[in-house]
């Protein structure tokens, strides 16, 4: 058993990152680049929860339904993405399988068409396509599509490849990765209130900065501090199928279903959205439902070979916004959690924000809407 204790020292500042999903790994990558001696702790294997259950869309425009701080954050992270994956690939030598093809968001009903058209008032990098224009871009689309939006900047990565690239880059940068090491609680200096480390089965570990990136499990660690984070797991089930020949270049998306073509010729079809606690079972009924929805958009998928199914737990928040920032009652702790449906997209920005907060720099955008204690200031309903 490794009993090495991390104690803040006069040398390199130490950082502990709780949670080795895409957000924790992105934070560790940035912090180690900035000179921190980083340890990533995960209760299981690195990136084995929501991160590798994801579809990998970088859907800044397709995923947002109104302008505001969340859209701004998504756009910033999308703008950082290619350089971030280049840096990961350069550092660790592993591809993220970045695909620079956009997303077609097609309407199959009048109501959906109206909702999509209303986005044109504020959305950037999008154009409305008639049914003929959509099928000119992707001839396999159903003749029933009523038109839709083309988002050429909403690219994709392969989440499993991204996970491998992150791990390789962290190892190369000298981060310590400790898998199968759950954090039981945060350690607090009773006099100053400062978070000084974490308690694990192997004993206490100390650091100058502790980053909370434990995804849907984060509230269990903040509640004992008096901060109940309004977060909950949102189960998402996907299927993977393989058509006889590639059907689309772009990701195609309609209300309640998306189809993401991957480099190996498979198509990822997602995803359900259910609040069912921490239940991650993939169920048979969902396979049929997702396949029916996908075939309504791309009829040739009816003959595709079934490959696999899985489910993951998105770290959902009540207002749909992540928790990013610090809390004055617990200095030393940086929050990087609650990225819900968009953690793959938001990882570069989340990592950069953690680095800026740890260094005491101005964050790349106003963090007030993402304040981890924002709900404490709201009047009771
Ligand atoms: P996680 O990946 O869940 O990582 C949290 C980690 O913390 C886990 O590894 C866990 O083991 C660890 N942990 C928890 N508690 C402790 C503890 N006490 N001690 C130590 N370790 C702990 N996002 C996109 O941007 N694009 C998409 O196309 C997309 N598609 C999705 C499709 C599905 C079906 C799902 C489920 C999600 C999708 N998402 C997508 C969302 C994205 O996957 C998440 O937002 C993202 O993975 C969250 O990352 P995370 O690091 O916060 O959480």
């Amino acid at each position: 058993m490794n009993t090495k204790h991390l104690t803040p020292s006069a040398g390199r500042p130490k950082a502990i990152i709780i949670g080795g999903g895409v957000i924790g790994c992105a934070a560790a990558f940035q912090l180690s680049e900035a000179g921190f001696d980083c340890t990533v702790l995960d209760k299981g294997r690195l990136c084995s929860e929501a991160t590798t259950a994801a579809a990998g869309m970088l859907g800044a425009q397709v995923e947002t339904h109104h302008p505001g701080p969340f859209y701004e954050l998504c756009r910033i992270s999308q703008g950082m993405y290619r350089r971030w994956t280049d840096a990961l690939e350069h550092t660790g030598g592993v591809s993220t399988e970045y695909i620079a093809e956009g997303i077609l968001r097609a309407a199959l009903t009048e109501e959906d068409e109206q909702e999509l058209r209303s986005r044109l008032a504020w959305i950037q990098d999008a154009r409305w396509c008639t049914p003929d224009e959509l099928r000119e871009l992707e001839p396999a689309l159903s003749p029933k599509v009523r038109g839709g939006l083309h988002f050429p900047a909403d690219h994709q990565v392969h989440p499993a490849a991204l996970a491998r690239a992150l791990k390789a880059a962290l190892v190369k940068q000298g981060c310590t990765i400790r898998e199968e090491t759950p954090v039981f609680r945060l350690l607090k200096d009773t006099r100053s209130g400062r978070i000084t480390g974490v308690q694990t089965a192997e004993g206490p570990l100390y650091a100058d900065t502790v980053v909370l990136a434990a995804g849907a499990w984060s509230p269990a660690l903040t509640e004992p501090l008096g901060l109940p984070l309004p977060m909950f797991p949102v189960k998402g089930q996907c299927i993977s199928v393989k058509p006889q020949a590639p059907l689309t270049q772009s990701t195609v998306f309609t209300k309640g279903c998306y189809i993401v073509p991957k480099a190996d010729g498979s198509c990822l079809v997602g995803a359900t959205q259910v609040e069912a606690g921490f239940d991650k079972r993939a169920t048979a009924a969902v396979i049929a439902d997702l396949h029916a929805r996908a075939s309504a958009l791309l009829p040739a998928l009816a003959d595709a070979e079934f490959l696999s199914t899985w489910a993951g737990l998105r770290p959902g928040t009540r207002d749909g916004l992540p928790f990013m920032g610090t809390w004055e009652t617990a200095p030393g702790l940086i929050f990087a959690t609650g990225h819900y449906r968009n953690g793959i997209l938001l990882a570069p920005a989340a990592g950069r924000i953690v680095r800026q907060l740890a260094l005491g720099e101005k964050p790349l955008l106003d963090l007030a809407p993402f304040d981890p204690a924002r709900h404490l200031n709201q009047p009771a309903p």
Side-chain angles (χ1 to χ4, degrees):
M1 186 182 283
N2 183 350
T3 52
K4 186 176 87 171
H5 285 200
L6 297 168
T7 313
S9 65
R12 281 172 74 197
K14 286 182 163 48
I16 288 173
I17 296 93
I18 310 171
V22 68
I23 300 295
C25 290
F29 184 63
Q30 288 278 339
L31 288 173
S32 57
E33 226 179 34
F36 281 77
D37 177 0
C38 289
T39 297
V40 181
L41 303 171
D42 200 286
K43 66 177 176 53
R45 308 298 304 275
L46 224 59
C47 292
S48 61
E49 293 288 352
T51 296
T52 39
M57 291 176 289
L58 309 177
Q61 358 289 307
V62 80
E63 282 279 327
T64 34
H65 297 255
H66 49 78
F70 183 70
Y71 180 55
E72 193 194 345
L73 175 66
C74 288
R75 292 275 298 171
I76 289 173
S77 205
Q78 188 178 55
M80 295 167 68
Y81 224 91
R82 198 57 187 123
R83 241 187 297 165
W84 183 66
T85 51
D86 281 349
L88 291 177
E89 290 173 1
H90 179 75
T91 307
V94 174
S95 169
T96 58
E97 298 189 20
Y98 187 101
I99 297 180
E101 292 285 344
I103 297 183
L104 292 184
R105 172 66 175 87
L108 287 167
T109 64
E110 189 184 344
E111 188 197 2
D112 197 25
E113 180 181 340
Q114 278 172 7
E115 193 276 315
L116 288 181
R117 283 187 184 276
S118 72
R119 293 195 209 177
L120 286 166
W122 55 271
I123 204 107
Q124 291 139 308
D125 289 341
R127 86 180 163 95
W128 181 260
C129 297
T130 64
D132 285 346
E133 287 169 336
L134 276 188
R135 276 197 304 277
E136 206 169 297
L137 289 168
E138 293 298 350
L141 280 171
S142 161
K144 292 188 180 150
V145 293
R146 303 171 60 98
L149 289 170
H150 183 207
F151 301 114
D154 281 5
H155 299 163
Q156 58 145 315
V157 290
H158 196 303
L162 176 64
R164 289 192 292 272
L166 278 163
K167 186 169 187 177
L170 294 189
V171 168
K172 194 72 186 210
Q173 287 197 164
C175 296
T176 304
I177 296 169
R178 293 172 67 169
E179 299 182 312
E180 315 293 344
T181 307
V183 168
F184 299 137
R185 64 185 174 89
L186 294 161
L187 300 177
K188 187 173 174 172
D189 178 77
T190 41
R191 271 196 298 179
S192 66
R194 191 174 178 83
I195 299 301
T196 54
V198 299
Q199 183 68 38
T200 72
E202 296 170 16
L205 302 175
Y206 297 101
D208 304 272
T209 297
V210 176
V211 179
L212 178 66
W217 295 264
S218 301
L221 292 168
T222 63
E223 255 169 48
L225 303 176
L227 183 62
L229 288 177
M231 284 182 68
F232 50 95
V234 182
K235 180 177 171 181
Q237 186 173 338
C238 295
I239 61 172
S240 173
V241 296
K242 188 154 190 175
Q244 288 176 2
L247 295 179
T248 64
Q249 300 267 311
S250 327
T251 292
V252 291
F253 198 128
T254 193
K255 199 176 166 99
C257 172
Y258 49 74
I259 302 154
V260 190
K262 296 296 179 187
D264 63 1
S266 67
C267 290
L268 185 155
V269 180
T272 57
Q273 195 161 302
V274 185
E275 285 180 44
F278 287 89
D279 172 17
K280 276 198 311 183
R281 284 172 312 131
T283 60
V286 169
I287 300 174
D289 182 57
L290 281 175
H291 185 245
R293 285 168 189 263
S295 302
L297 187 59
L298 278 184
L301 273 186
D303 286 337
E305 179 190 350
F306 174 77
L307 296 180
S308 60
T309 187
W310 65 90
L313 301 172
R314 304 175 185 93
T317 64
R318 279 285 158 233
D319 60 8
L321 300 178
F323 295 112
M324 298 191 308
T326 53
W327 182 39
E328 59 189 9
T329 310
L333 179 64
I334 296 175
F335 293 74
T337 189
H339 296 83
Y340 195 23
R341 289 176 58 94
N342 301 102
I344 303 291
L345 164 67
L346 294 174
R352 176 80 63 83
I353 289 167
V354 168
R355 170 186 175 143
Q356 289 167 328
L357 292 172
L359 292 174
E361 294 173 356
K362 189 171 179 284
L364 52 81
L365 86 169
D366 175 18
L367 293 182
F370 312 112
D371 183 345
R374 59 187 180 270
H375 51 290
L376 298 185
N377 308 324
Q378 280 168 3

